[in-house]
């Protein structure tokens, strides 16, 4: 599933061609993805001018001058194609401007598209209970300390809780915990402030590096320009079970299951 850096990369790619443009035509090639397209999507977006693009957690936001925002989620395999050379049977939503054509392609159809009144975005059910953005000022060691207070669950699992931090996914939590030297199995309430002060910049660093590199490109993900990211080549622990730690004095990378997902970590470096 595309994670936060992949969505951020997608939004930045779209913004280059779409921001400030007027939407001339909207075409739906099927009635639904994971759920039906909004009934008024074509009417609301045709003729609207795109003011800005943004992101909330793993959702992309296309804001318009009509105070309506198109909110998209890429699901498992979704991606936007810009000026595709040929049509594809999985291009389910087409947006055209005077200069460009944008196709939302989703082979597995686990993605979604919604229309939300822009002033009410913060109250939209998917966003209403979300925690702070990991790249924003709201994520601090003090915030994590308060959120983890008295909690016995493993810190890895709580970092994946969108109510605590919005948009963190499995890949980047594994990598950030490694950088901060925190055992993913450790009860969150027992992680001290000193470690949390290492964790917050580690989260930001791993996300920012991945955004710079264009995303991790696992399975179906690609940037809007069709290029593939290469952060996967920088993984220190994710997917490296049985391999030597990148630190000379480290151990052998282990994989365990937590909450139905795999976790990779170094038992020597992460305490």
């Amino acid at each position: 599933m595309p994670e936060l850096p992949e969505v951020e990369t997608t939004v930045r790619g779209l913004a280059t061609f779409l921001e400030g443009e007027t939407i001339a035509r909207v075409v739906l090639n099927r009635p639904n993805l994971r759920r039906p397209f909004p009934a008024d999507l074509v009417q609301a977006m045709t003729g609207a001018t795109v003011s800005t693009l943004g992101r909330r957690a793993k959702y992309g936001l296309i804001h318009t001058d009509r105070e309506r925002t198109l909110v998209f989620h890429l699901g498992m395999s979704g991606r936007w194609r810009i000026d595709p050379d040929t049509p594809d049977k999985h291009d389910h939503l087409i947006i055209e401007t005077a200069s460009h054509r944008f196709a939302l392609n989703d082979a597995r159809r686990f993605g979604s598209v919604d229309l939300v009144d822009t002033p009410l975005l913060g109250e939209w059910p998917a966003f209403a209970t979300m925690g702070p953005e990991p790249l924003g000022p709201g994520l601090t060691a003090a915030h994590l300390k308060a959120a983890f207070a008295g909690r016995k669950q493993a810190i890895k699992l709580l970092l994946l809780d969108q109510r605590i931090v919005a948009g963190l996914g499995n890949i980047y939590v594994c990598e950030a915990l490694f950088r901060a030297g925190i055992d993913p199995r450790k009860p969150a309430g027992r992680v001290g402030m000193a470690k949390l002060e290492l964790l917050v910049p580690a989260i930001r660093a791993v996300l920012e590096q991945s955004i710079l590199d264009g995303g991790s490109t696992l399975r179906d993900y690609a940037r809007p320009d069709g290029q593939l990211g290469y952060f996967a080549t920088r993984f220190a622990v994710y997917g490296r079970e049985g391999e030597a730690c990148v630190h000379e004095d480290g151990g052998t990378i282990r994989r365990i299951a937590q909450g139905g997902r795999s976790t990779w970590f170094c038992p020597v470096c992460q305490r």
Side-chain angles (χ1 to χ4, degrees):
M1 177 181 293
E3 296 200 27
L4 185 152
E6 287 77 31
V7 179
E8 180 69 23
T9 302
T10 293
V11 166
R12 293 183 185 186
L14 288 172
T16 302
F17 301 95
L18 193 52
E19 232 168 52
E21 295 292 320
T22 297
I23 297 172
R25 186 168 177 255
V26 177
V27 178
L28 300 178
N29 290 327
R30 61 172 299 109
N32 64 302
L33 293 177
R34 177 159 46 95
R35 55 178 176 267
F37 285 111
D40 61 339
L41 179 63
V42 173
Q43 180 180 359
M45 298 300 289
T46 303
T49 297
V50 177
S51 51
T52 59
L53 281 85
R55 178 192 53 74
R56 180 67 168 120
K58 300 177 187 179
Y59 290 85
L61 310 173
I62 302 177
H63 303 294
T64 72
D65 62 345
R66 295 178 176 175
E67 293 289 281
R68 305 293 300 280
T69 295
L70 186 153
V71 182
F72 67 86
H73 193 289
L74 296 174
M76 296 294 291
S77 60
R79 63 192 180 104
W80 284 93
R81 303 200 305 151
I82 299 177
D83 295 329
D85 294 330
T86 58
D88 185 278
K89 67 179 181 179
H90 301 303
D91 289 344
H92 304 309
L93 167 63
I94 308 295
I95 294 177
E96 296 180 355
T97 66
S99 306
H100 298 286
R101 191 170 191 261
F102 307 85
L104 179 57
N105 184 284
D106 189 353
R108 303 183 193 180
R109 300 203 307 272
F110 285 131
S112 63
V113 171
D114 294 279
L115 270 180
V116 182
D117 291 338
T118 305
L120 301 179
L121 271 173
E123 302 170 25
W124 190 52
F127 295 164
T129 60
M130 278 186 179
E133 285 285 324
L135 295 176
L139 179 60
T140 64
H143 166 76
L144 292 179
K145 188 68 174 175
F148 294 162
R151 305 291 293 273
K152 296 180 180 179
Q153 294 98 323
I155 186 170
K156 157 75 182 304
L157 298 181
L158 290 191
L159 286 172
L160 292 173
D161 186 334
Q162 302 298 292
R163 296 167 297 181
I164 294 176
V165 185
L168 284 185
N170 198 41
I171 296 173
Y172 302 103
V173 169
C174 288
E175 293 294 310
L177 286 171
F178 173 76
R179 293 191 185 201
I182 299 172
D183 189 324
R185 301 167 296 182
K186 190 167 187 176
R190 291 176 50 195
V191 179
M193 181 62 80
K195 282 289 190 179
L196 294 178
E197 288 176 343
L198 294 176
L199 179 59
V200 170
I203 290 171
R204 292 199 175 109
V206 74
L207 291 174
E208 288 169 351
Q209 184 64 62
S210 185
I211 291 168
L212 182 65
D213 289 347
S216 61
T217 313
L218 297 182
R219 296 187 176 91
D220 301 301
Y221 174 73
R223 296 190 315 214
D225 61 7
Q227 299 299 310
L228 301 180
Y230 52 89
F231 183 73
T233 64
R234 299 177 187 265
F235 288 163
V237 290
Y238 187 90
R240 298 188 62 238
E241 179 184 10
E243 297 182 27
C245 177
V246 295
H247 296 157
E248 289 186 3
D249 56 351
T252 300
I253 303 303
R254 286 187 57 194
R255 180 178 67 85
I256 60 173
Q258 288 183 293
R261 301 185 186 186
S262 291
T263 296
W264 290 266
F265 70 105
C266 174
V268 174
C269 297
Q270 295 174 251
R271 300 288 187 178

